[in-house]
Amino acid sequence: MSIMSYNGAAIMAMKGKECVAIAADRRFGIQAQTINTQFEKIFEMGPRLYVGLPGLATDVQTVSQRLKFRLNLYELKENRHIKPKTFLSMVSNLLYSRRFGPYFVEPVIAGLDPKTSEPFIASLDLIGCPMITEDFVVSGTCSEQMYGMCETLYKPDQEPDDLFETISQCLLNAVDRDAVSGWGGVVYIIEKDKVTKRILKGRMD
Amino acid sequence: MINMASIMTSKYLPAVSAETTGCVGRPDWLTSELSTGTTIAAIEFDGGVVIGADSRTTSGAYIANRVTDKLTKVTDYIYCCRSGSAADTQAVADIVNYHLNFYKMERGEEPLVKTAASTFRNLCYNNRDSLSAGILVAGWDKRNGGQVYTIPLGGMWTRMPVAIGGSGSTYLYGYVDANYKPGMGKDECLKFIANAISLAINRDGSSGGVIRLACITKDGVERHVLTGDQLPKFYEDS
């Protein structure tokens, strides 16, 4: 089996009107066996900046820890919160530094600019190629299914509550066609003044 | 007499090679053989049998069919539960169905469950190198009542009061050992099988969808489907 589908994951991020949403499944499994249904794959990197890490579970945890370390040093030196676009470059640099023995994660970034509150989403491949989009980004073992759902359901400039509905349906229906992701979902809605984390009840199969 | 071996020799492989210039390589679900990943179970009771299965068919990690029917009729009173390669088990079940129809026409009476199981076994054993099929044969006949026969991978067969199979069955050995008692009635058996399939679905990535149940007695076959909220629930932290 491919190393990227050894643990299985599904993560997506979407842009809305002055907000962004990032969602992930909650399964931690080893090939076909499910071990845990509360595995965190989305990590907070700033008050309005989140990164989602699908892929090999050990690298999900290592990359998030190493990234947090670099971020902490950045904030101490610069004495301010990092901009999402700069964070994207930081992730890219971390991943490319392992070009010939990579971390098996393909991150998704979602956040708001700390000064202007401009929404930002981006994704990278496992060796750090960055991609910034204006609508949605997906990553994981069921990326084809997620692309299909997002292309169909996405509309630009949705209010936070509508964006929540849209991203939830995209995630739940995509993972229902993947044997190694799902078992519940979590959605973060990131707005200028607050971040709301909601757990999705989905099929546990 | 049809030559069984020649029918089931070659597995279908896509004609195109995996590498094409400029392409990323074909996704898993285009190149993997269809597997009924699966959880299947069957139990005898006085008067008949209860059988159950999940409904997921996978091609690699892609779920090709989420409402599959893995409980296949071979005669009016005998069903089989299929696990392993979807193609192999469908082909074998079709051939057994043909044989048993012939048998019924020649003798004018319903075939015994043992006969059906034996036919399955002969196909699975003689073609063991080419097949990937784990089958449970269960039904009712007037000589011995409800019977369950298990025919795992190599083609051995044995009668058991309760049998489980498929990739999800590994999660059920403890449950069955702890909860099976002889002398259960029809409704208890239905609950037992539904609980078992539900537990396996929760843990096994290759099993999922709905729970299909069937109860076979002297009066024929009664089929049930448990969907969504009807699936038995167990402890999950959150």
Side-chain angles (χ1 to χ4, degrees):
Chain A
M1 213 185 223
S2 151
I3 202 166
M4 294 299 284
S5 60
Y6 185 73
N7 295 122
I11 315 230
M12 58 169 67
M14 270 188 192
K15 246 196 219 184
K17 193 175 181 67
E18 286 158 21
C19 62
V20 288
I22 182 167
D25 71 319
R26 305 188 79 199
R27 178 183 183 266
F28 169 59
I30 297 182
Q31 296 193 310
Q33 180 178 31
T34 304
I35 315 285
N36 188 1
T37 54
Q38 270 111 248
F39 190 67
E40 292 291 333
K41 300 172 197 181
I42 296 179
F43 302 92
E44 187 185 328
M45 293 285 152
R48 300 284 177 269
L49 181 58
Y50 287 78
V51 66
L53 295 163
L56 194 63
T58 177
D59 286 345
V60 164
Q61 298 195 319
T62 302
V63 168
S64 74
Q65 287 163 11
R66 293 211 161 148
L67 223 35
K68 191 75 184 138
F69 173 78
R70 289 193 182 197
L71 182 56
N72 285 345
L73 276 177
Y74 180 96
E75 290 188 346
L76 283 168
K77 276 189 228 177
E78 303 261 333
N79 204 23
R80 61 180 177 89
H81 292 298
I82 195 171
K83 283 197 213 143
K85 192 141 188 262
T86 316
F87 182 68
L88 173 65
S89 294
M90 185 185 273
V91 181
S92 174
N93 178 265
L94 175 63
L95 295 174
Y96 196 81
S97 70
R98 290 274 173 272
R99 170 63 177 82
F100 299 107
Y103 291 116
F104 295 104
V105 291
E106 297 194 321
V108 161
I109 297 171
L112 304 176
D113 187 299
K115 286 266 155 44
T116 66
S117 294
E118 167 93 32
F120 178 90
I121 55 171
S123 69
L124 308 97
D125 70 358
L126 78 173
I127 47 174
C129 173
M131 176 176 83
I132 306 175
T133 66
E134 297 304 314
D135 40 19
F136 51 82
V137 283
V138 306
S139 190
T141 44
C142 55
S143 52
E144 276 118 351
Q145 290 92 318
M146 289 192 280
Y147 274 126
M149 288 308 308
C150 290
E151 285 287 0
T152 312
L153 298 184
Y154 178 79
K155 290 197 310 276
D157 290 318
Q158 287 179 74
E159 293 297 323
D161 288 334
D162 297 328
L163 187 66
F164 168 72
E165 288 300 328
T166 306
I167 201 175
S168 303
Q169 288 301 325
C170 285
L171 185 73
L172 287 176
N173 290 297
V175 301
D176 283 350
R177 276 287 180 175
D178 185 16
V180 293
S181 50
W183 277 264
V186 60
V187 182
Y188 290 76
I189 303 289
I190 305 154
E191 297 170 68
K192 198 159 63 176
D193 52 345
K194 64 181 189 308
V195 175
T196 324
K197 174 181 176 182
R198 293 189 185 88
I199 309 284
L200 297 177
K201 182 166 113 92
R203 299 181 64 97
M204 303 297 275
D205 65 2
Chain B
M1 172 75 170
I2 289 175
N3 185 346
M4 306 301 153
S6 65
I7 295 174
M8 286 172 297
T9 333
S10 51
K11 290 191 164 102
Y12 170 72
L13 286 170
V16 187
S17 74
E19 309 294 308
T20 27
T21 45
C23 282
V24 287
R26 296 159 66 84
D28 216 17
W29 48 267
L30 277 179
T31 53
S32 303
E33 194 183 314
L34 273 178
S35 147
T36 41
T38 261
T39 310
I40 48 177
I43 187 172
E44 292 175 5
F45 65 92
D46 181 22
V49 294
V50 170
I51 58 176
D54 73 302
S55 69
R56 179 171 286 185
T57 306
T58 51
S59 177
Y62 176 65
I63 300 172
N65 187 352
R66 61 192 178 109
V67 287
T68 323
D69 185 6
K70 303 180 190 180
L71 306 177
T72 304
K73 184 174 114 131
V74 284
T75 72
D76 289 333
Y77 294 91
I78 308 173
Y79 269 60
C80 69
C81 308
R82 303 182 289 112
S83 75
S85 156
D88 289 350
T89 53
Q90 282 175 15
V92 169
D94 283 348
I95 293 173
V96 172
N97 181 293
Y98 159 83
H99 274 281
L100 296 180
N101 268 336
F102 211 85
Y103 179 110
K104 185 179 170 181
M105 274 192 275
E106 273 192 315
R107 297 180 201 218
E109 60 179 23
E110 290 293 332
L112 298 172
V113 185
K114 189 174 187 181
T115 310
S118 182
T119 316
F120 266 107
R121 183 276 304 259
N122 287 334
L123 289 165
C124 291
Y125 178 73
N126 288 322
N127 296 288
R128 59 190 303 185
D129 294 334
S130 327
L131 289 177
S132 172
I135 296 176
L136 300 179
V137 183
W140 179 91
D141 63 41
K142 62 177 194 243
R143 197 189 288 181
N144 293 103
Q147 296 145 78
V148 168
Y149 293 86
T150 177
I151 305 161
L153 241 44
M156 79 151 225
W157 71 320
T158 183
R159 180 178 172 186
M160 299 173 73
V162 60
I164 51 179
S167 56
S169 66
T170 52
Y171 306 103
L172 299 179
Y173 285 95
Y175 175 76
V176 170
D177 289 343
N179 291 303
Y180 173 73
K181 354 174 253 314
M184 293 202 277
K186 172 176 144 181
D187 290 321
E188 269 187 282
C189 285
L190 279 162
K191 196 101 208 40
F192 179 84
I193 297 286
N195 283 345
I197 307 283
S198 181
L199 283 167
I201 281 177
N202 213 317
R203 283 285 176 179
D204 181 27
S206 313
S207 304
V210 304
I211 297 181
R212 294 200 189 277
L213 296 166
C215 177
I216 311 173
T217 59
K218 67 180 187 336
D219 303 316
V221 181
E222 236 176 63
R223 300 203 58 156
H224 309 278
V225 187
L226 299 178
T227 65
D229 277 339
Q230 296 170 313
L231 263 79
K233 288 184 184 42
F234 296 93
Y235 171 71
E236 268 153 46
D237 21 42
S238 93

